Amino acid sequence: MTVALKEYKPGTAFSGVIGRTFDVSSPAWPQPLRAREGAPNVLFIVQDDTGFGQMGCYGSPIKTPNIDALAAEGLLFNNMHTTALCSPTRSCILTGRNHHSNAMSCITEGSTGFPGGNANIPFENGMLSEILLQQGYNTYAIGKWHLTPGDQISAAGPYDRWPLGRGFERFYGFLGGDTHQYYPELVYDNHSVEPEKTPEEGYHLTEDLVDHAIAFIADAKQVAPNKPFFMYFCPGAMHAPHHVSKEWSDEYKGQFDDGWDAYREKVFARQKELGIVPADAELSRHDPDVQEWDSLSADEKRLYARMMEVFAGFLTHTDYHYGRLFDFLKSIGEWDNTIIMFISDNGASSEGGPTGSVNENKFFNNVPDSLEQNLAMIDDIGMPNTFNHYAWGWTWAGNTPFRRWKRETYRGGISDPFIIHWPKGIQAKGDVRTQYAHAIDMAPTILELLAVEPPTAIKGVTQSPIEGHSFAHALDDSLAPSKHITQYFEMMGHRSIYHDGWRAICPWPGTSFKEAGMFFGAPIDKDKLTELDAKGWELYHVDEDYAENHNIAEQNRAKLIEMIATWYVEAGKYNVLPVDGRGTQRFAEPRPAIAVNRTSYTYYPNTQMVPTNAGPQFLNRPHSITADVEIPAGGAEGALLSAGDVQGGFALYMQDGRLHYVYNYVGAEFYHAESNARVPEGHHSLRLEFEVTGKPDIASGKGAPGCAQLYIDNKLVGAVDVPLTMPLIIGLAGGVVAGADTGSPVWDKYKPPFRFTGKLHSVTVDVSGELIKDDEAALRAILARQ
C-alpha cells in the first residue's frame, strides 16, 4: 500500500508537525520540481549552412524524406529569417532576444569591445534551457555549440558559458564553429573525449550525435517516463567539411552535371509547384561573382558536379539519421507530443570560394587551389583525408530563389527553411505559412504553447524582456496576421530592415564583390557611413517582390528615408551601434584572455587538447619543442607533441626506436626528419629546433622556410629542410596535444591516437623568436569556422 506523502513548496514553511518524539510528529517533504502533467517535449533541430532551396520539401532534388515528412505532417514556413551567421542566430533561437542584445554581433571569434558584440551572452537574457529547467524539464544540448567566447573554450574555463552553465543538464558535441566529421573535437559535458570508433570502423559524427540523443532521452524516460525534455540538437551538417561515405554521394552521380544555373531553374519551378513561393515570384539574377556553367571546362564541370554530389549525399545521410531519432520517439510513444522546430542557422555558405576545395586549409593559407591536384583527389572528396567545400556557384543555387548568401543580409543570407511539427497540438497539416517570422520568435512561441510565463529572474538574475513575437496564433490559422512587424539586420556592416512588407538594404561592400571591386571586411568610417546612408540603400516591396529583384528606391524616396530612420531606431534600441564593417582589424584586435601572453608553454600527457587560439603561435618564427621522457626497456613509440591535423600541421614523435619529425604543408607536401641513432633506454631530453632560414611570402601562401633539427640530449641526430610552411593557420581542426596525435592524424605513417608508450613527464615549447603576422589574410581562416 502506497502512503501519500505530504509535500510543501520549497521556500515556504514546513507543513508537517514537529513534536518532542517521532511518534507525535508528522513528516512532510519539500515538493520535487515536476513539469505540468502532459507537458510536451520540445526538440529544436538547428542545421548548419542550409539554403532555402536545398531540401526536398523546399523544391530541391536532394532526398530528405524525414525532413519532408515533418513538413507534410506539420507546417512549412516560407518567411522565416535568421541573422545571416551561425553564432548570432543560435543566440536568438535560445534566448528570444536579438543578436546584438545577446552581445553576439558576429561569430564568437569576431567579438568586439562594445555591448552589442563582446560575445558574452548576458545572464539576464535567459536561455530556453534555463527557463524549462525551472519547469521540471530535462535539458540536453547535442552537437554544435559555438556560443562561448573563443578565449573561454579551453580546459582553463571559465565554464559558466558552456552548455552546462546555461541550463543544459547534459552536453555531447563540439564547442567551436565546425569540426571534422570523422575525427571530431568532442566534448562530453565539460571535458574532451575521443570517439569510440574510427572511420575505418564506420564512425561518423552525425550517427554518434543521434546515438547520444537517443541515449540521453532513454536514460531519463526509463526512470521518469512522464518527465518531458527539451533537446537542442545541432549536427555539424551541413557545414564544411562535407563528409560522407561514397555509398551516399554515389547515389547522386550525374544528377548535377547540368550545373548550378539549371539547378536553380528546376528548383524554382518546383517551389512554385509546391506553393513554397508566390505564383508571381521571379527568380533573382545570375550572380556576378559566379561563373557561367557553360563557360567552364569539362574538367571543372566534372569536379564541381562531384562536390555537389557529395554535399547532396551528406544531406541525405543527415536526414537518414534524423529518421532514427524520430523512429525512437515513435517507439516510446513520445512522437505525437513532441514539438519539433527545424531551422537552418543561415543561408548556404560561400566559404568554398569560386573553385571550392578538397582542402579548405589551402584557401585560408593563400595557397592556390590546383585543378590538377583536386581532380587527382576527386574520388576522395568526402573521405577522412579531405576537408572539402563546394564551389560557391552551388551556394548561390542553394539559396534559390534569392540572391547572395551567408554573411550578407539579402534574403539569400537571412531567409531560411523552417518547419514546425506537433501532431497532438497543431490541427493543420502540410500547409505553407507565410507570416513574417524571425529566429527570436521561436522561444516565445514555445513558451506560449507550453503556457509558461517568462520568469522575472533566473538564478537570482533579473531577466530582460523577450524581444521576439510568438507565432502560435498562426499555427492553425493561415490568415492570421504576423505579430512581427519590424526587424533589423546587421552583419559586418551589411545592413537591412524589414517593416510591414517592405525591405530596405544597404549592402556592404556592395551588391557583389565583382561590382564593388572589393571583398567583404572593408572598414566603414564615419564619412563612408554618411555616404552609404545617402546613396547606398536599396528598397524592395517584398510583399510583391518576393526575391528582391526590383529596387524601387528612386521612385519611393520618402519610404526609403522612413525605412533608414527605422533602422537607426532599432539599432539604438538593440545595441547595434557602432556600425562595424571591419574584417581584418575586427578579428585581429586584442581581447581579454584567461592567461597572459608568454613565450614558453609547458604541456603534460593525458590532458585535454589545447585549442589553437589558447596555445603558442608556431608559424613564421623560430621555435623549439623539448620533451622530457623516460624510455622503458624494449623502447617506446608514439607522439610527443602534435599540432593540427591531416589538413596541415606537424608532429614530433618516436617510431621504430628513433626520433621523428614531420611537417605537413596543407596536405600537399610532407617534410620528414629521422634520427640517425636510436633513442636509448632511460631518462632523456628529446628536442626539435626549427630555425627560420628566410622570410615568408604570405600573399603567395608560403610561410617562413626553415630547417628542422632533431636532438637527443643536446646532440644533433637529424635534420630536414622545410621550404614550405603554412603562413596563417596550422589546421582548420585540431589543436596542440602532448603525448598523442588525436583526431585526424598529421600524416598516414601511423594510426591515431598514437599515444606515447614511454613515460612523458612534460613537453616545453619555446616561441621566443620574432613573430611575423598578416592579419588581413588571417581573417579568412577565422571565418572558416563559422
Side-chain angles (χ1 to χ4, degrees):
M1 177 177 172
T2 302
V3 179
L5 296 177
K6 192 172 187 179
E7 298 177 346
Y8 60 95
K9 291 185 177 181
T12 65
F14 174 71
S15 61
V17 176
I18 300 177
R20 292 180 64 205
T21 59
F22 178 79
D23 59 312
V24 293
S25 302
S26 176
W29 297 85
Q31 186 181 78
L33 180 61
R34 300 186 184 98
R36 173 176 56 84
E37 186 65 29
N41 308 302
V42 178
L43 171 60
F44 280 3
I45 299 176
V46 184
Q47 196 160 281
D48 218 318
D49 288 1
T50 305
F52 191 86
Q54 288 185 320
M55 299 190 304
C57 54
Y58 278 85
S60 171
I62 300 174
K63 297 173 185 176
T64 52
N66 292 296
I67 299 170
D68 297 353
L70 286 184
E73 299 164 7
L75 299 172
L76 180 151
F77 280 60
N78 73 354
N79 211 4
M80 172 59 80
H81 298 80
T82 62
T83 69
L85 210 58
C86 65
S87 301
T89 293
R90 290 161 192 264
S91 77
C92 295
I93 289 169
L94 285 173
T95 68
R97 282 86 166 181
N98 284 296
H99 59 302
H100 292 87
S101 297
N102 288 324
M104 201 66 74
S105 61
C106 190
I107 55 173
T108 57
E109 297 87 348
S111 59
T112 61
F114 298 97
N118 62 38
N120 288 270
I121 300 175
F123 293 112
E124 57 264 32
N125 292 5
M127 293 189 176
L128 192 57
S129 48
E130 295 168 307
I131 297 172
L132 295 187
L133 192 63
Q134 293 183 348
Q135 297 295 318
Y137 275 67
N138 282 127
T139 55
Y140 313 124
I142 300 280
K144 175 174 172 175
W145 181 242
H146 209 197
L147 291 172
T148 302
D151 61 295
Q152 298 178 25
I153 63 171
S154 76
Y159 292 89
D160 54 354
R161 286 186 167 86
W162 289 39
L164 268 60
R166 292 307 309 250
F168 289 103
E169 297 173 305
R170 304 185 73 179
F171 171 64
Y172 185 80
F174 55 101
L175 294 175
D178 72 352
T179 195
H180 201 288
Q181 295 291 306
Y182 299 107
Y183 295 105
E185 300 163 274
L186 287 173
V187 171
Y188 203 140
D189 294 337
N190 280 351
H191 65 282
S192 297
V193 295
E194 292 297 314
E196 294 183 355
K197 295 192 298 185
T198 66
E200 293 77 18
E201 294 169 327
Y203 181 84
H204 192 282
L205 177 61
T206 306
E207 180 178 7
D208 189 16
L209 295 178
V210 170
D211 286 346
H212 278 80
I214 292 171
F216 282 7
I217 296 169
D219 283 344
K221 289 293 185 182
Q222 66 188 0
V223 176
N226 294 329
K227 187 173 185 179
F229 66 82
F230 167 51
M231 177 170 285
Y232 177 67
F233 185 88
C234 307
M238 293 300 295
H239 199 290
H242 302 152
H243 278 157
V244 73
S245 63
K246 286 184 171 65
E247 65 179 295
W248 295 93
S249 51
D250 285 354
E251 182 179 343
Y252 290 95
K253 274 195 172 180
Q255 294 191 29
F256 305 107
D257 288 355
D258 50 358
W260 38 66
D261 300 279
Y263 178 98
R264 293 184 85 227
E265 295 288 347
K266 288 185 288 189
V267 169
F268 186 54
R270 180 62 175 155
Q271 288 174 337
K272 285 198 171 184
E273 182 183 330
L274 294 172
I276 304 300
V277 303
D280 61 352
E282 300 171 88
L283 189 60
S284 61
R285 66 174 183 165
H286 185 102
D287 194 285
D289 290 329
V290 174
Q291 312 98 304
E292 296 280 354
W293 186 259
D294 289 342
S295 71
L296 301 173
S297 69
D299 281 343
E300 287 173 314
K301 289 178 180 179
R302 183 162 64 94
L303 176 64
Y304 300 158
R306 182 56 180 170
M307 290 175 172
M308 185 58 182
E309 290 168 8
V310 172
F311 175 89
F314 187 23
L315 180 51
T316 299
H317 173 268
T318 304
D319 177 89
Y320 169 81
H321 287 289
Y322 291 151
R324 293 177 50 233
L325 176 57
F326 298 165
D327 286 345
F328 172 72
L329 293 175
K330 293 171 185 175
S331 73
I332 64 172
E334 297 291 339
W335 178 251
D336 287 348
N337 200 29
T338 299
I339 303 172
I340 300 177
M341 288 187 173
F342 179 102
I343 193 171
S344 173
D345 61 357
N346 44 243
S349 168
S350 64
E351 288 150 20
T355 65
S357 182
V358 298
N359 179 359
E360 272 195 303
N361 205 20
K362 289 184 179 180
F363 180 75
F364 300 115
N365 275 292
N366 288 338
V367 179
D369 254 294
S370 161
L371 178 62
E372 183 179 65
Q373 289 178 0
N374 288 344
L375 281 170
M377 293 189 68
I378 193 169
D379 292 333
D380 289 336
I381 297 176
M383 296 293 99
N385 61 327
T386 64
F387 209 98
N388 51 295
H389 195 302
Y390 56 23
W392 69 18
W394 294 118
T395 310
W396 166 65
N399 291 324
T400 301
F402 305 121
R403 61 200 296 184
R404 301 304 284 172
W405 42 54
K406 174 181 177 180
R407 287 201 301 259
E408 301 186 18
T409 70
Y410 281 116
R411 293 200 71 181
I414 62 170
S415 290
D416 292 297
F418 178 79
I419 300 166
I420 183 169
H421 179 276
W422 183 23
K424 188 174 180 179
I426 301 173
Q427 300 303 311
K429 310 290 182 189
D431 292 351
V432 175
R433 288 290 179 266
T434 61
Q435 286 83 0
Y436 188 92
H438 187 277
I440 60 173
D441 300 335
M442 293 170 62
T445 301
I446 289 294
L447 295 180
E448 181 175 345
L449 293 176
L450 300 183
V452 171
E453 286 291 325
T456 57
I458 295 176
K459 295 182 179 177
V461 178
T462 300
Q463 293 296 286
S464 66
I466 288 180
E467 295 162 1
H469 305 266
S470 171
F471 51 78
H473 67 294
L475 299 181
D476 281 317
D477 184 359
S478 63
L479 300 179
S482 173
K483 295 179 180 179
H484 200 139
I485 306 302
T486 305
Q487 180 61 46
Y488 82 92
F489 298 87
E490 189 278 334
M491 189 53 60
M492 297 179 70
H494 203 290
R495 297 176 288 159
S496 60
I497 180 82
Y498 169 85
H499 180 72
D500 199 19
W502 292 79
R503 285 242 311 147
I505 306 167
C506 188
W508 180 251
T511 51
S512 69
F513 304 140
K514 184 175 182 180
E515 290 165 323
M518 66 179 87
F519 202 51
F520 77 94
I524 301 173
D525 60 23
K526 59 184 178 62
D527 293 334
K528 174 53 83 171
L529 184 61
T530 300
E531 178 187 339
L532 287 171
D533 284 339
K535 302 176 182 178
W537 285 85
E538 303 167 353
L539 182 66
Y540 300 93
H541 193 184
V542 287
D543 273 359
E544 299 176 0
D545 181 14
Y546 186 71
E548 299 175 338
N549 287 306
H550 303 286
N551 178 12
I552 53 175
E554 288 296 325
Q555 306 93 297
N556 296 271
R557 189 69 182 166
K559 183 67 177 179
L560 179 64
I561 292 171
E562 172 195 326
M563 296 287 284
I564 297 171
T566 302
W567 187 91
Y568 273 100
V569 169
E570 299 297 291
K573 188 186 303 183
Y574 297 118
N575 286 334
V576 181
L577 299 175
V579 174
D580 190 353
R582 295 177 305 155
T584 301
Q585 301 94 324
R586 179 177 185 146
F587 283 87
E589 68 180 21
R591 297 177 179 85
I594 302 303
V596 297
N597 287 334
R598 59 195 191 278
T599 59
S600 180
Y601 298 75
T602 301
Y603 296 106
Y604 304 97
N606 304 312
T607 55
Q608 298 183 43
M609 181 190 71
V610 177
T612 53
N613 63 354
Q617 171 58 269
F618 294 97
L619 305 181
N620 302 316
R621 72 193 317 172
H623 56 268
S624 67
I625 302 169
T626 304
D628 181 10
V629 304
E630 289 185 31
I631 307 300
E637 70 167 16
L640 301 168
L641 190 85
S642 63
D645 67 353
V646 69
Q647 299 308 295
F650 63 81
L652 179 65
Y653 64 97
M654 280 191 62
Q655 193 171 49
D656 298 327
R658 297 175 185 268
L659 182 63
H660 296 253
Y661 172 80
V662 64
Y663 191 94
N664 172 349
Y665 174 71
V666 295
E669 303 289 343
F670 293 84
Y671 304 100
H672 173 232
E674 178 180 352
S675 65
N676 57 22
R678 296 175 65 86
V679 180
E681 297 174 7
H683 189 203
H684 299 285
S685 174
L686 307 180
R687 189 167 84 254
L688 176 281
E689 291 275 359
F690 188 91
E691 177 186 353
V692 170
T693 57
K695 294 182 178 180
D697 181 359
I698 293 175
S700 300
K702 299 175 182 179
C707 178
Q709 302 171 339
L710 295 174
Y711 292 84
I712 300 175
D713 298 328
N714 296 319
K715 180 181 179 181
L716 179 64
V717 292
V720 64
D721 286 328
V722 185
L724 293 173
T725 66
M726 290 165 290
L728 295 167
I729 184 170
I730 289 180
L732 296 177
V736 177
V737 181
D741 185 357
T742 57
S744 61
V746 169
W747 74 334
D748 61 3
K749 303 303 181 186
Y750 51 77
K751 296 291 185 183
F754 201 43
R755 298 191 185 280
F756 184 60
T757 58
K759 185 171 182 59
L760 177 62
H761 294 287
S762 64
V763 181
T764 300
V765 175
D766 184 280
V767 288
S768 55
E770 182 182 357
L771 173 64
I772 307 168
K773 297 175 64 178
D774 184 332
D775 291 336
E776 180 176 354
L779 165 66
R780 288 200 297 272
I782 295 168
L783 287 176
R785 308 214 64 190
Q786 300 177 65

